[in-house]
Amino acid sequence: MSRSGNQTSRLESVISYILIIGVVTSLLLVATGLILYCLQGSLAIQLEKPEVYIHGNDFFTFLGGLLTGSFQTSKAFYFMTLGITVLILTPFIRVLASVFYFGVIRDAKYIMITLFVLIVLTISLALH
Amino acid sequence: MTVIAGEVYHQTSELKDEKSAGQEKDDLNIITLSFLAVAVGFLGSLTGLGGASVLIPVLVLFGVPVKVAIASSIVSIIATSSGSASSYVRERITNIRVAMFLEIFTISGAIIGASITTFIHATYLYFFFAAFLLSSFISLRKRAAGQISRELDKISRWLNLQGSYYDEAEGREISYRAYNALPGGLGMLVAGLAAGMLGIGAGAFKVTVQENILRLPPKVSSATSNFIIGMTALAATSVYLFTGLLNLTLMAPMAIGTTIGALIGGRILNKLNSRVLRVLFFAIIVFLIVQMLYKGVVSL
């Protein structure tokens, strides 16, 4: 079953790792947040408190705020938000890796295709 | 007609009638939602229907505003899809070129769909959702008879959409080509639109497009579809992100629960006669359709 010499398999292992590491990291952070939330004595699903909703202006500023600690919220919600952010970043990094890969093998068509996906996502994340 | 701003009020006043606490939801808590998500993720992966299309109406049943349910669910789909996509990619069943090409269409559809959902009145969403659930009864797998070209068109040739994978059941490497790239792309635009609007993966629809229009082998179709779902969900999430609809106490148990459920489901997928489960699942769906229609009519 080996297809040695086919470079695509390298892209495949990189993408496979990005996906699994992203999802596992994210779910661990989310789980930490959930446990902290339960330890605060409440198991309730909140629908009305504003702090249970993700808020911000654009994703990249939001990400910066999250990492530099200027993000004001409880520890439980902080971990959950961090986990959800890692989740959002997972497919994003996957596209970045694809652009990079098609750049390395100089496949112009697929550089264009992956760049289109990357640019649309970046704009959509940066807006609001 | 209630106005959009009245939506939350409407939902909570209804809850108070059911003797629930106004602010916190006693009937549905973090633990019950987690278990529910595991069960739905498990059943969803066994029946191929996906978990979100069931979980959203269930959340609505518990009084969660439909837009919040949709937006929070699409985020958990990133986890469910990427988790299971990872192993298909490693086994080289997923066709990454086909996926990247089709993602142009699904993300465009998802962004448009999610934008529509943030603007329209919730009433429409109940009916769209009921219509979507109804469509799962129509056997999508029937071949789109005859009209699909069997010639390799210029675009598909230009895109270099061929591949091969090792089929364990047949014990050999299987080579294939993708045909009709552009009509397939348009089909994926529709799939993306539905996914973004309703907060679902629309996996069954994506697989149908890939099998019947692009004429990919079934295993490649479902693996590639799984891969695309994560990106489509991200595109929709990017629209919902700061609309104040992404609820942490919903997303956290849903993301963890559905992913675990789907992983268990995926492992025993071929070892189980899922006919009984399928009947049970469809019974649940009938109930959910009725419930969504009821919500829709009540909110008119």
Side-chain angles (χ1 to χ4, degrees):
Chain A
M1 64 180 282
S2 83
R3 242 189 340 173
S4 53
N6 190 335
Q7 283 176 302
T8 309
S9 53
R10 276 224 305 270
L11 174 67
E12 281 159 344
S13 17
V14 170
I15 285 181
S16 172
Y17 281 121
I18 291 173
L19 293 178
I20 198 68
I21 292 170
V23 170
V24 169
T25 311
S26 153
L27 293 186
L28 285 177
L29 288 166
V30 169
T32 309
L34 262 186
I35 292 166
L36 289 173
Y37 182 74
C38 293
L39 289 177
Q40 287 171 1
S42 166
L43 291 176
I45 287 170
Q46 283 286 350
L47 286 177
E48 288 172 23
K49 283 189 184 169
E51 64 262 36
V52 300
Y53 291 96
I54 289 187
H55 49 253
N57 289 317
D58 77 90
F59 182 71
F60 300 100
T61 320
F62 166 80
L63 185 65
L66 206 57
L67 296 178
T68 54
S70 59
F71 191 79
Q72 293 294 324
T73 189
S74 75
K75 256 215 166 79
F77 289 147
Y78 177 78
F79 274 104
M80 287 187 210
T81 310
L82 208 56
I84 298 298
T85 309
V86 172
L87 200 54
I88 291 170
L89 279 172
T90 302
F92 190 77
I93 292 171
R94 189 262 266 180
V95 186
L96 263 179
S98 316
V99 175
F100 184 73
Y101 170 81
F102 288 118
V104 169
I105 64 164
R106 291 167 199 271
D107 185 332
K109 288 171 212 168
Y110 279 87
I111 294 176
M112 270 157 52
I113 289 171
T114 44
L115 262 182
F116 176 84
V117 174
L118 181 68
I119 291 169
V120 169
L121 287 175
T122 310
I123 293 173
S124 188
L125 282 170
L127 284 178
H128 301 293
Chain B
M1 280 286 234
T2 39
V3 286
I4 297 176
E7 168 73 11
V8 176
Y9 171 75
H10 173 76
Q11 298 277 3
T12 45
S13 61
E14 204 169 273
L15 270 172
K16 276 171 190 156
D17 294 342
E18 291 164 17
K19 289 177 190 165
S20 281
Q23 265 233 334
E24 299 188 345
K25 309 199 53 50
D26 289 336
D27 38 2
L28 187 68
N29 66 30
I30 301 277
I31 308 291
T32 49
L33 180 56
S34 302
F35 280 109
L36 202 62
V38 172
V40 168
F42 176 75
L43 283 173
S45 81
L46 279 187
T47 52
L49 243 163
S53 46
V54 174
L55 205 46
I56 292 169
V58 171
L59 288 176
V60 170
L61 184 70
F62 279 106
V64 175
V66 65
K67 288 186 183 185
V68 172
I70 286 175
S72 303
S73 147
I74 199 90
V75 177
S76 67
I77 289 175
I78 303 179
T80 318
S81 141
S82 305
S84 43
S86 170
S87 61
Y88 293 128
V89 171
R90 199 176 49 242
E91 289 159 24
R92 292 189 283 113
I93 301 173
T94 311
N95 188 315
I96 293 180
R97 279 173 205 257
V98 171
M100 293 302 317
F101 172 69
L102 295 179
E103 278 166 6
I104 293 179
F105 298 91
T106 60
I107 63 164
S108 309
I111 289 173
I112 298 167
S115 307
I116 293 173
T117 292
T118 53
F119 285 115
I120 62 172
H121 191 278
T123 303
Y124 297 108
L125 293 170
Y126 296 121
F127 292 116
F128 285 141
F129 215 102
F132 166 78
L133 288 173
L134 259 176
S135 77
S136 58
F137 286 105
I138 304 161
S139 176
L140 282 167
R141 305 214 168 228
K142 278 184 189 146
R143 293 209 160 256
Q147 320 141 336
I148 300 304
S149 166
R150 301 196 161 260
E151 297 273 302
L152 185 62
D153 54 296
K154 274 187 190 147
I155 297 171
S156 306
R157 192 194 305 270
W158 184 78
L159 286 166
N160 204 16
L161 297 176
Q162 73 263 29
S164 65
Y165 73 102
Y166 183 77
D167 193 307
E168 276 193 19
E170 297 194 25
R172 65 188 177 97
E173 190 89 5
I174 292 179
S175 298
Y176 60 88
R177 270 189 162 284
Y179 299 81
N180 310 307
L182 209 55
L186 293 178
M188 293 310 250
L189 187 74
V190 177
L193 194 72
M197 253 185 109
L198 302 178
I200 55 175
F205 189 80
K206 284 176 177 140
V207 169
T208 308
V209 170
Q210 289 177 46
E211 277 185 32
N212 297 338
I213 301 181
L214 295 156
R215 294 177 41 215
L216 294 172
K219 281 183 190 170
V220 177
S221 301
S222 45
T224 307
S225 152
N226 213 314
F227 189 68
I228 297 173
I229 288 171
M231 192 62 70
T232 314
L234 168 63
T237 302
S238 72
V239 175
Y240 290 124
L241 198 53
F242 300 120
T243 51
L245 293 171
L246 296 186
N247 186 312
L248 289 168
T249 57
L250 287 174
M251 286 188 290
M254 281 164 80
I256 296 173
T258 48
T259 306
I260 292 173
L263 286 178
I264 303 170
R267 276 180 179 272
I268 62 164
L269 187 55
N270 296 318
K271 297 171 192 160
L272 202 86
N273 180 2
S274 58
R275 210 166 150 203
V276 179
L277 280 175
R278 202 174 272 270
V279 171
L280 172 80
F281 205 52
F282 280 110
I284 297 170
I285 287 171
V286 172
F287 169 72
L288 294 174
I289 291 172
V290 172
Q291 186 247 335
M292 284 309 249
L293 286 174
Y294 171 76
K295 283 268 181 186
V297 171
V298 165
S299 69
L300 275 175

